Amino acid sequence: KAGVTQTPRYLIKTRGQQVTLSCSPISGHRSVSWYQQTPGQGLQFLFEYFSETQRNKGNFPGRFSGRQFSNSRSEMNVSTLELGDSALYLCASSLATGSNTGELFFGEGSRLTVL
Amino acid sequence: AQSVTQLDSQVPVFEEAPVELRCNYSSSVSVYLFWYVQYPNQGLQLLLKYLSGSTLVKGINGFEAEFNKSQTSFHLRKPSVHISDTAEYFCAVRPSGSARQLTFGSGTQLTVLP
């Protein structure tokens, strides 16, 4: 069974640009969450999507947005990039059924560098 | 809201020695507890989880953790470490309801020395 796939793995952007990151969850998983990992702030929750609806959102500015498609694949977008947005962005998928304890399975991440 | 404190940012230990990585949490609601491991340039891999029941939880790669509700702790242990255990370890919590948002600790870098 394929794991969580994130693309691209590495990318470099300049300040003011925007970026879109993609995440394909494990087959059958309907929930996708995104996390930002930086040396200074650690791992921080961005948002969770379930059945194409944002279910939960972390404390990030509106420049950070996401969406989920009918096949459960998800994208996140960061507009007007700032130097501080340089980070590893991790996607995680989960079965998210009523009786499921919601274990998260993480992808390898997309490493964004903003110059 | 929940918070997680990992008391040691770096833990060096010699190969075949035992190790304990400490984790304390704070929450006003009941929580599930997790330990994840991250190898360089990789994502997070689940080591073990506590959901309910027995407070001693066994995970992959010989790791185990003990949930102590009175001390709000969830320390990770391994009786004999290997060079390959060198990695960063994260403790995490989430509410035991339907929300799946994880709150992570700041991580502990475990370095196993030959």
Side-chain angles (χ1 to χ4, degrees):
Chain A
K1 198 173 190 180
V4 178
T5 303
Q6 292 188 244
T7 56
R9 289 290 315 279
Y10 302 91
L11 65 166
I12 301 173
K13 294 286 187 178
T14 56
R15 281 179 297 173
Q17 287 187 311
Q18 73 167 13
V19 66
T20 299
L21 309 178
S22 179
C23 172
S24 293
I26 292 171
S27 178
H29 286 195
R30 297 170 62 192
S31 168
V32 173
S33 302
W34 289 89
Y35 289 80
Q36 181 197 63
Q37 185 178 24
T38 60
Q41 300 298 317
L43 282 153
Q44 293 186 287
F45 171 75
L46 279 158
F47 24 65
E48 180 196 3
Y49 286 87
F50 177 76
S51 292
E52 303 177 64
T53 301
Q54 187 180 89
R55 191 155 66 172
N56 203 358
K57 189 178 192 303
N59 189 25
F60 278 83
R63 301 185 297 107
F64 291 80
S65 63
R67 59 179 175 168
Q68 186 180 34
F69 302 95
S70 58
N71 61 359
S72 294
R73 190 178 69 86
S74 177
E75 289 181 347
M76 67 163 284
N77 184 78
V78 187
S79 62
T80 320
L81 284 166
E82 301 177 358
L83 296 179
D85 297 333
S86 294
L88 181 66
Y89 290 89
L90 291 164
C91 170
S93 75
S94 168
L95 273 172
T97 58
S99 61
N100 179 263
T101 52
E103 176 181 335
L104 298 185
F105 294 83
F106 283 83
E108 293 192 315
S110 292
R111 183 167 296 281
L112 170 65
T113 301
V114 182
L115 302 177
Chain B
Q2 295 79 46
S3 67
V4 179
T5 302
Q6 292 186 242
L7 297 159
D8 305 296
S9 60
Q10 303 210 21
V11 173
V13 63
F14 286 106
E15 193 173 18
E16 297 184 6
V19 70
E20 177 180 82
L21 306 184
R22 297 180 292 168
C23 171
N24 286 90
Y25 71 94
S26 172
S27 177
S28 57
V29 299
S30 61
V31 295
Y32 295 150
L33 295 141
F34 304 84
W35 275 98
Y36 284 86
V37 61
Q38 186 176 36
Y39 299 100
N41 298 314
Q42 294 189 23
L44 301 174
Q45 180 183 8
L46 181 68
L47 276 177
L48 47 78
K49 59 189 177 186
Y50 173 78
L51 306 176
S52 64
S54 172
T55 57
L56 183 62
V57 179
K58 293 190 184 297
I60 62 171
N61 301 341
F63 284 93
E64 64 181 32
E66 184 151 22
F67 170 57
N68 187 317
K69 188 174 182 179
S70 62
Q71 298 188 5
T72 60
S73 68
F74 190 54
H75 301 334
L76 181 71
R77 301 186 183 99
K78 186 169 183 179
S80 176
V81 295
H82 304 289
I83 297 287
S84 59
D85 293 323
T86 295
E88 188 145 26
Y89 292 78
F90 292 93
C91 181
V93 302
R94 55 157 277 223
S96 58
S98 61
R100 284 166 177 75
Q101 174 180 344
L102 285 171
T103 299
F104 285 91
S106 55
T108 297
Q109 174 64 43
L110 173 65
T111 302
V112 181
L113 306 167

